[in-house]
Amino acid sequence: MDTLQTGLDDAGRAISATGLSDSAKLATFAAQLRFEDLSSATVDRVKLCLLDAVGCATFATTLPWGRIVTDYAVSMGGNTEATVWGTAQNV
């Protein structure tokens, strides 16, 4: 939480002395961030994190509870616009 917090807004979110909630400050930072602003170490770490996430999600589809989640998502129906990683299932 911001050390300059002055109170809560109408929805109960913290507001700092700048008048922005922590969420709004983070959103502003993210919206203004450019790839060129990132260090090469940051880019390398994000690549590893994404690779890890894809690997974990793909492996999870081979486990019983991963299949349960996939079957549930398929049973919910929908527009079938997305493919479940590691499967031929569309949800």
Side-chain angles (χ1 to χ4, degrees):
M1 187 99 48
D2 193 357
T3 57
L4 298 175
Q5 177 180 335
T6 59
L8 302 175
D9 67 9
D10 293 337
R13 295 177 296 246
I15 299 176
S16 70
T18 63
L20 294 175
S21 69
D22 291 338
S23 299
K25 287 190 281 187
L26 180 60
T28 300
F29 171 78
Q32 295 173 349
L33 188 64
R34 295 175 308 133
F35 184 80
E36 296 79 29
D37 298 330
L38 302 174
S39 69
S40 61
T42 299
V43 172
D44 290 343
R45 177 59 62 127
V46 170
K47 288 178 180 179
L48 285 173
C49 289
L50 287 173
L51 184 59
D52 183 58
V54 171
C56 289
T58 303
F59 177 68
T61 63
T62 68
L63 302 172
W65 46 87
R67 287 190 290 275
I68 291 169
V69 172
T70 299
D71 291 346
Y72 175 75
V74 170
S75 75
M76 295 301 294
N79 296 333
T80 64
E81 297 173 342
T83 302
V84 178
W85 286 352
T87 76
Q89 297 290 333
N90 291 328
V91 293

